[in-house]
Amino acid sequence: MNPVYAALPTTIFETMSALARETGAINLGQGFPDAPGPDDVRRVAADALVDGYNQYPPMAGLPDLRQAIADHYRDHQGLDLDWQSEVIVTSGATEAIAAGILALVSPGDEVVLFQPLYDAYVPMVRRAGGIPRMVDLDPRDWSLDPVALDAAFSERTRLVVINNPINPSGTMLGRDVLSMIAERCVRFDAYALCDEVWEHIRFDRDHVPMIAVSGMRDRTVKIGSAGKIFALTGWKVGWMIAAPALARQIAKAHQFLTFTTPPALQTAVAHGLRKPLRWFETMRAGFARSRARLVQGLESAGYCVLPSEATWFVSVDLPASGIDLDDVTFAERMAREGGVVTIPVSAFYEERHVRHIVRLCYCKGDAVLDAAIERLAMMRGRLIAPQ
């Protein structure tokens, strides 16, 4: 067996969702909404499946979708993209990440990553022969220390992997931080692989794409996801955007991973990306209401909720909430005894440097959130009661 995969545990998301199925607990762990997704987008997919073309589409994606992606980023982020040479459709963002890493990283190359991080990054880097160089964000505010960043970069740095907005912290990297990373990329002749799937699920400020930062237009691979934008996580339609020379190389990896993506879903996503700006504003407002409902309920129950300005997640500081348990123990007991599944944030670290924070997903219906809040309140009362 390949040692990279043989040593891996089952992903925390599958583990906790299986625990939810086993116990009947409310699943606020894995990030998927209760709602079925936009009616019109699903209807376009259904019609395209029945009446449209169902054979291999072009490897780079349907021209209509690639044009829609370029137009979408022009309208929403002011990017000037050539849809024919700079846009490649992938089977989800995870495939785009894999293709980018396989195309850009050779054995012995160093790759800078920021913890906490999505758990797929490090195995992909190691499978490509890369050497991870981890930088911890400060859990008090998830800020980036320039000294730690300097310690991670070297002449051997080939790639930096950036998730912005950040899962699991729910925070965003602003232009000042991105510029700080970009300066190191230029200085050490490195590339940036930017997982920006949460770019539309943000509430308090605009998203800044790394590809728009000075010096990064030809060094950045920008990754997006229809599954996150339209809350259709099972569709697995994503894309990567890069300057032509980069895009051509990454496409070579993509062609031997999935080669292409179901055409009916591509047709529907193209339709969705052309929705008016107000649709995206309304979508964000709906998630903001759910976020506020969960945050207010948790705070009323005595939990210390960390700030969250993006994604579908909020996090709870256990010691600040009066709970003397590490995150893994709390998550296990909360599922089995309290009836709510959460995610221990230590699962997003190579080493469990942070063991006191749990993540909860709020993209659920009001009744589900209210029931979860009631159970979380009861469990906290039980845990902090005198023994």
Side-chain angles (χ1 to χ4, degrees):
M1 299 295 177
N2 185 287
V4 171
Y5 298 118
L8 287 178
T10 302
T11 175
I12 188 65
F13 307 112
E14 178 59 27
T15 297
M16 298 309 290
S17 288
L19 189 56
R21 294 189 293 270
E22 174 192 337
T23 61
I26 297 171
N27 191 352
L28 298 190
Q30 192 169 13
F32 57 86
D34 287 342
D39 291 344
D40 60 324
V41 175
R42 290 184 293 119
R43 178 54 56 191
V44 170
D47 291 344
L49 182 66
V50 173
D51 300 325
Y53 182 78
N54 284 286
Q55 306 307 324
Y56 292 128
M59 182 266 288
L62 292 179
D64 186 48
L65 176 53
R66 294 161 68 200
Q67 291 179 59
I69 291 168
D71 292 345
H72 181 85
Y73 285 124
R74 178 198 62 218
D75 296 341
H76 288 263
Q77 296 178 10
L79 299 179
D80 181 15
L81 302 172
D82 180 352
W83 70 266
Q84 296 186 73
S85 64
E86 297 186 314
V87 181
I88 301 169
V89 177
T90 59
S91 292
T94 302
E95 195 243 317
I97 294 164
I101 290 172
L102 289 172
L104 294 174
V105 176
S106 298
D109 287 343
E110 294 188 358
V111 179
V112 176
L113 304 110
F114 303 101
Q115 296 187 116
L117 77 174
Y118 180 47
D119 62 355
Y121 299 157
V122 173
M124 290 177 183
V125 168
R126 289 199 170 118
R127 186 64 186 89
I131 301 169
R133 295 296 183 217
M134 312 305 296
V135 179
D136 286 1
L137 302 178
D138 187 334
R140 292 172 295 182
D141 58 2
W142 305 115
S143 59
L144 175 59
D145 181 358
V147 175
L149 187 64
D150 283 333
F153 270 86
S154 75
E155 298 297 333
R156 296 180 297 278
T157 303
R158 176 64 170 173
L159 183 68
V160 55
V161 178
I162 302 167
N163 179 209
N164 187 39
I166 304 172
N167 173 25
S169 67
T171 54
M172 299 176 67
L173 302 178
R175 186 176 292 274
D176 55 341
V177 176
L178 293 175
S179 295
M180 183 170 63
I181 299 170
E183 189 277 328
R184 274 81 173 170
C185 287
V186 172
R187 190 198 318 167
F188 292 103
D189 193 22
Y191 295 99
L193 183 74
C194 299
D195 177 357
E196 300 184 1
V197 299
W198 298 105
E199 58 196 343
H200 273 296
I201 318 299
R202 40 66 179 182
F203 312 108
D204 304 319
R205 52 177 162 151
D206 291 339
H207 170 72
V208 178
M210 181 59 130
I211 201 169
V213 174
S214 177
M216 296 306 294
R217 182 63 174 81
D218 295 331
R219 296 181 177 274
T220 299
V221 181
K222 173 180 171 62
I223 293 170
S225 167
K228 299 302 190 295
I229 294 174
F230 301 110
L232 292 164
T233 59
W235 278 24
K236 302 298 292 180
V237 178
W239 48 83
M240 47 191 171
I241 291 163
L246 269 180
R248 284 194 299 272
Q249 294 305 310
I250 298 171
K252 294 177 183 179
H254 161 64
Q255 70 182 337
F256 294 125
L257 287 171
T258 63
F259 179 68
T260 190
T261 300
L265 300 184
Q266 292 193 51
T267 297
V269 171
H271 167 83
L273 289 175
R274 293 189 173 106
K275 283 176 172 289
L277 295 178
R278 65 178 179 275
W279 183 90
F280 297 89
E281 295 167 355
T282 300
M283 174 269 289
R284 278 193 288 273
F287 285 127
R289 284 192 293 273
S290 295
R291 177 186 61 159
R293 193 180 195 94
L294 180 57
V295 170
Q296 290 166 9
L298 289 171
E299 290 179 341
S300 296
Y303 285 94
C304 176
V305 183
L306 300 178
S308 171
E309 55 187 343
T311 75
W312 289 331
F313 309 110
V314 297
S315 296
V316 165
D317 184 320
L318 295 175
S321 304
I323 298 172
D324 187 22
L325 296 174
D326 68 80
D327 59 344
V328 172
T329 304
F330 174 85
E332 176 80 14
R333 290 189 61 182
M334 190 68 236
R336 295 192 180 279
E337 301 173 31
V340 178
V341 164
T342 60
I343 296 288
V345 166
S346 62
F348 296 88
Y349 285 78
E350 271 291 278
E351 297 178 3
R352 292 177 59 197
H353 295 167
V354 172
R355 308 183 183 201
H356 64 284
I357 298 173
V358 293
R359 191 195 79 175
L360 301 93
C361 176
Y362 61 75
C363 57
K364 308 293 181 180
D366 290 351
V368 172
L369 292 177
D370 291 345
I373 290 165
E374 182 178 353
R375 295 181 186 187
L376 285 155
M378 292 177 62
M379 189 64 177
R380 179 178 177 274
R382 187 184 309 169
L383 291 172
I384 67 173
Q387 302 298 317

